[in-house]
Amino acid sequence: MLRIGWGSRNIVPQRPAMLMGQMHTRVAHEALDPLTVTAMAIDGGAHDGSDGVILVSCDLALISDDLQEAVRRQVSKGLPSLPADNIILFATHTHTSLVCVDGFYPHPGGDVMTAQECSAFLADRIAQAAVEAWQGLAPCSVGRAYGHAVVGHNRRPVYTDGTAQMYGRADRPDFQWIEGYEDHSFDMLFVWDASGALAGVVLNIPCPSQVDEGLNEFSADFWHEIRVELRKRLGEKLWVLPICGISGDQSPHFILYKNQEEEMRKRRGFSERQEIAMRVADAVERALACTRPMEGEVALAHQVHRVTLSPRRVSRQERDWAEAEHQRAAAQMDPKSWWPQRLQLVVDIFEGRHKPGPVPAELHFLRLGDAVLATNPFELFVDFGLRIKERSPAAQTLLTQLTSGVGWYLPTKRAVEGGGYGAMPAVCAVGPEGGDELVEHTVKGIAELFAEK
């Protein structure tokens, strides 16, 4: 029987801090709801940590390399036998969490925490949760399940001239179609303790937590309501490990049927976040009713692959647009903020002043019985995830994004042809060619786990 443990920490700071996720600087002084890190430790049987894995879900916009390395160093002090690579951090991609990377926003001064202070604060809390989870290891059983709940929607309408626009309006006379597939599926893992009581759930939902992404308060967004609703139905002590699935071109915002959805929510007396929580909880209960623990010895295997991917190419048209947008942005905001800097980088790449090399990516592959979890650091467009899932030899494949690094968006070929935010080189370090490479690396990594004896 596997041993599994859980840990958690509140990561709302006691001082004001900048919020990650928009083009302008925002500062939060209080929390609308808790920002949380949740850790799940899994021991495969060695009992000394050598084959263990710790998954940590963070209510953050991203996981920086520096933050991840700081967490791994701190955890290794307390758990020296656990390989540092076996500590895997995920971001739920809320846009109302702490800025932990220097260079995104100019510091506003005063008592506002710096990015370095936030990173140190987060590393300490995340490491505490991870160690707590390992120290709480106990015999458990695991079951996998699959379901559907409408959470994310493709956010890129396409117009008659072939252009696409993130969050563009669909009531325009030149609106033609929504660019890509909408993935309303989600994968689940249930964990029961030795007495047979449900202890925790892992929810892999393909949508960033961004219903209220423009707030000036700390917030976990819809994951807060999901936790509340699930604990109301399944027990106050239920552990919930959120994972943001592949959803680079999805968000909870409605492009179509916006007015009708709002009317129905008002009739029911729910907020948009509560509506999402109800849909998710309904699907979880439905799946739980027909899910049983995996039988026999449950295989646990983990590999990490460090690969490089082809960088995003820049066309003359993209270069010219970036230069014009840079001039506009620099006149309206601090030129040292991330958006003007990324636009200037596009111009520099095209003109040869900056030559991007292959883009590194840390990929994790975790087998749990006949299920597998595979990660990547990007905001990966849905089509790539679908290709991986359909080729995976696992009975169930959980795919995550925004794991182990800042990968930016990774768009499809049709998205690049349509342009717009999410597909332009200013926010894409890797292009469609690199996406194809990522698919192959991931399919190969998954296959290796199932080829082992």
Side-chain angles (χ1 to χ4, degrees):
M1 181 176 284
L2 293 173
R3 293 196 306 155
I4 292 176
W6 303 87
S8 182
R9 289 293 184 277
N10 185 310
I11 54 170
V12 174
Q14 296 300 307
R15 291 167 51 201
M18 293 183 289
L19 293 171
M20 189 76 193
Q22 301 294 343
M23 292 183 180
H24 59 282
T25 303
R26 294 172 295 151
V27 175
H29 295 262
E30 57 186 19
L32 178 66
D33 49 74
L35 293 173
T36 303
V37 295
T38 304
M40 175 184 177
I42 312 172
D43 176 34
H47 298 293
D48 62 356
S50 59
D51 66 345
V53 177
I54 302 179
L55 309 177
V56 189
S57 173
C58 309
D59 287 335
L60 295 173
L62 51 83
I63 303 297
S64 71
D65 293 334
D66 288 345
L67 175 60
Q68 176 166 269
E69 291 309 309
V71 170
R72 288 174 172 173
R73 285 195 302 270
Q74 291 194 39
V75 173
S76 293
K77 292 178 182 178
L79 304 174
S81 298
L82 180 74
D85 280 351
N86 290 18
I87 303 165
I88 309 170
L89 274 60
F90 310 90
T92 61
H93 204 35
T94 172
H95 273 190
T96 45
S97 63
L98 292 74
V99 173
C100 58
V101 183
D102 275 326
F104 270 89
Y105 306 99
H107 190 270
D111 191 39
V112 177
M113 295 175 71
T114 65
Q116 289 184 341
E117 288 176 320
C118 288
S119 185
F121 166 77
L122 290 168
D124 184 57
R125 294 298 179 95
I126 294 169
Q128 289 176 19
V131 172
E132 178 186 22
W134 189 262
Q135 293 175 341
L137 287 170
C140 289
S141 53
V142 179
R144 58 173 176 82
Y146 170 84
H148 291 84
V150 178
V151 180
H153 311 272
N154 187 285
R155 51 184 169 177
R156 289 174 52 85
V158 180
Y159 303 99
T160 53
D161 62 358
T163 62
Q165 181 181 341
M166 184 181 287
Y167 301 134
R169 295 178 59 175
D171 58 357
R172 290 168 38 174
D174 60 343
F175 167 68
Q176 293 294 295
W177 55 75
I178 300 296
E179 183 180 78
Y181 181 78
E182 290 190 350
D183 191 357
H184 301 309
S185 67
F186 76 97
D187 297 282
M188 295 162 267
L189 295 175
F190 295 107
V191 179
W192 296 270
D193 63 22
S195 72
L198 184 66
V201 294
V202 178
L203 303 182
N204 183 204
I205 298 177
C207 187
S209 50
Q210 294 174 6
V211 171
D212 295 322
E213 58 181 323
L215 298 176
N216 291 319
E217 300 166 292
F218 301 113
S219 174
D221 208 88
F222 62 66
W223 279 111
H224 172 69
E225 279 76 11
I226 289 175
R227 293 181 185 113
V228 169
E229 186 63 27
L230 286 176
R231 287 167 181 161
K232 183 168 64 176
R233 299 189 191 194
L234 302 177
E236 294 182 359
K237 295 183 178 180
L238 181 74
W239 293 96
V240 180
L241 187 82
I243 297 179
C244 181
I246 305 305
S247 51
D249 46 347
Q250 293 201 154
S251 87
H253 298 301
F254 291 94
I255 301 297
L256 305 175
Y257 307 119
K258 183 183 301 184
N259 293 336
Q260 295 92 327
E261 290 280 351
E262 183 177 2
E263 178 187 358
M264 294 306 294
R265 287 197 304 273
K266 287 181 178 179
R267 290 186 190 181
R268 288 188 286 265
F270 291 158
S271 69
E272 188 172 345
R273 287 163 51 161
Q274 289 172 323
E275 176 74 22
I276 288 172
M278 295 291 287
R279 292 174 181 175
V280 169
D282 287 347
V284 169
E285 284 194 317
R286 188 173 182 222
L288 179 61
C290 61
T291 301
R292 298 293 178 267
M294 298 178 188
E295 296 181 353
E297 184 177 349
V298 178
L300 176 68
H302 170 255
Q303 290 186 3
V304 57
H305 294 188
R306 289 181 171 85
V307 303
T308 57
L309 306 173
S310 298
R312 173 75 156 83
R313 299 173 184 173
V314 178
S315 69
R316 163 63 71 174
Q317 182 180 7
E318 289 168 335
R319 178 255 178 235
D320 292 347
W321 183 90
E323 182 178 54
E325 179 65 13
H326 177 267
Q327 294 175 357
R328 185 200 67 80
Q332 296 183 2
M333 64 179 70
D334 191 316
K336 294 182 181 179
S337 61
W338 74 271
W339 178 237
Q341 289 188 67
R342 293 293 300 183
L343 293 166
Q344 183 60 52
L345 180 62
V346 174
V347 177
D348 292 344
I349 290 173
F350 185 85
E351 296 184 354
R353 291 190 292 271
H354 178 81
K355 295 183 179 180
V359 178
E362 181 178 306
L363 311 178
H364 291 266
F365 305 96
L366 175 66
R367 179 180 175 182
L368 197 60
D370 59 357
V372 70
L373 173 71
T375 79
N376 76 86
F378 303 97
E379 288 191 66
L380 189 66
F381 275 41
V382 168
D383 286 356
F384 293 116
L386 299 177
R387 289 164 57 186
I388 294 168
K389 284 192 171 187
E390 288 303 308
R391 293 174 58 188
S392 170
Q396 193 159 347
T397 302
L398 290 75
L399 298 180
T400 82
Q401 60 178 27
L402 297 162
T403 305
S404 304
V406 182
W408 300 91
Y409 287 93
L410 205 169
T412 58
K413 180 180 178 181
R414 64 178 168 182
V416 169
E417 291 171 349
Y421 192 86
M424 59 180 60
V427 291
C428 302
V430 175
E433 300 85 1
D436 293 339
E437 296 163 5
L438 176 64
V439 169
E440 297 306 318
H441 283 303
T442 305
V443 171
K444 179 182 178 183
I446 294 172
E448 288 178 358
L449 288 183
F450 286 85
E452 295 179 354
K453 296 183 180 179

